């Protein structure tokens, strides 16, 4: 789609001057919560790779069954599957979107490289940072009502391990490009959002 700029949230800028923001951070750090607020204020299109995958599972398709087994174990779905879903969702909105907010992708450095080859380079990565113990506490609480098969103690531990091993290096990768804004997510939701909004406004 485009060319341009930088990702735990990443903002991409395309040839058409659309913007692509990427939001990253560990499971339960508050990405989804902050994305909703960004959508309300800036009107960007929110693409959560996890939500796209869960929609495929909910459809009951054969592919969804395979995905569910991977997600229940807290492992990563193959790169091409997620990238194709994001790309299709972006193409569907390309004409009408003010910009894209990509949540929970890339999960590993290789995914980031493929995203740039097929879609474009981001110009802002919002890194929503919370402590491991905070993320576990939030996810256990969310699990009381989320109905998500992966919000249980055993899978949460695996998701966190994989986050530190595979996903944190993505942040290091984009830090070297100077597009990362680290946001402290231990603060109350509205204060976190104040910092998120400032990072986005600073791009303008
Ligand atoms: N790019 C992605 C996004 C998600 N997943 C799979 O979907 C699960 C849930 O992803 P997501 O909804 O992004 O959850 P988390 O970031 O772990 O937590 P949260 O919903 O709280 O953001 C992951 O554990 C993983 O199995 C994946 O493989 N690749
Ligand atoms: N105390 C507190 N809780 C939060 C904050 N952000 C999110 N949460 C809660 O933490 C849980 C995980 O948040 P979510 O947005 O789903 O995180 P994600 O996994 O990164 O997408 C939810 O139950 C939220 O209500 C925050 O800034 N402060
Ligand atoms: Mg989420």
């Amino acid at each position: 789609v485009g060319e341009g700029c930088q990702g735990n949230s990443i903002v991409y800028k395309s040839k058409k001057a659309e913007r692509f923001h990427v939001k990253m951070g560990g499971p339960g750090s508050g990405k989804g919560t902050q994305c909703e607020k960004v959508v309300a204020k800036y009107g960007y299109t929110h693409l959560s790779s996890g939500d796209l995958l869960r929609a495929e599972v909910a459809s009951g398709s054969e592919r969804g069954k395979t995905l569910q087994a991977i997600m229940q174990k807290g492992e990563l779905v193959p790169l091409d599957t997620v990238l194709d879903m994001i790309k299709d969702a972006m193409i569907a909105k390309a004409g009408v979107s003010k910009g894209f907010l990509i949540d929970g992708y890339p999960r590993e450095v290789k995914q980031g490289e493929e995203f740039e080859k097929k879609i474009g380079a981001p110009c802002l990565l919002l890194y929503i940072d919370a402590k491991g113990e905070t993320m576990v506490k939030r996810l256990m609480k969310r699990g009381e009502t989320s109905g998500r098969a992966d919000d249980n103690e055993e899978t949460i531990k695996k998701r966190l391990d994989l986050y530190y091993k595979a996903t944190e290096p993505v942040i290091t990768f984009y830090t070297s490009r100077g597009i990362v804004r680290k946001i402290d997510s231990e603060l109350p939701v509205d204060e976190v959002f104040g910092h998120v909004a400032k990072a986005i406004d600073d791009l303008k």
Side-chain angles (χ1 to χ4, degrees), residues 29 127-131 181-188 191-193 195:
S29 60
Y127 169 23
I128 308 300
D129 183 39
K131 287 187 285 197
R181 289 288 293 263
K182 184 173 174 176
I183 313 279
D184 180 2
S185 183
E186 296 287 335
L187 302 165
E191 281 181 47
V192 176
F193 183 63
H195 293 289

Side-chain angles (χ1 to χ4, degrees), residues 25-32 48-54 67-68 70-78 82-83 86 103-108 111 139 142 148 150-151 155 158-160 162-163:
S29 60
K31 300 180 297 295
S48 158
S49 47
D51 288 350
L52 290 170
L53 292 168
R54 282 185 286 278
L67 295 176
Q68 182 166 31
I70 297 171
M71 292 163 77
Q72 203 145 9
K73 284 189 274 185
E75 292 170 3
L76 288 180
V77 168
V82 190
L83 191 51
I86 293 178
D103 164 12
Y105 188 95
R107 281 302 221 262
E108 53 186 2
Q111 292 186 357
L139 290 175
R142 190 177 73 185
R148 272 179 56 170
D150 56 353
D151 278 349
T155 312
K158 287 197 205 146
R159 285 157 67 197
L160 262 187
L162 192 60
Y163 169 70

Side-chain angles (χ1 to χ4, degrees), residues 6-44:
Q6 241 170 22
N8 224 349
S9 193
I10 303 184
V11 178
Y12 296 85
K13 203 172 182 179
S14 78
K15 284 175 184 152
K16 286 181 178 168
E18 293 148 339
R19 276 190 166 157
F20 304 85
H21 303 236
V22 176
K23 207 160 228 131
M24 288 179 51
S29 60
K31 300 180 297 295
T33 303
Q34 293 299 323
C35 282
E36 261 179 46
K37 295 174 104 43
V38 170
V39 169
K41 176 159 183 181
Y42 297 94
Y44 294 140

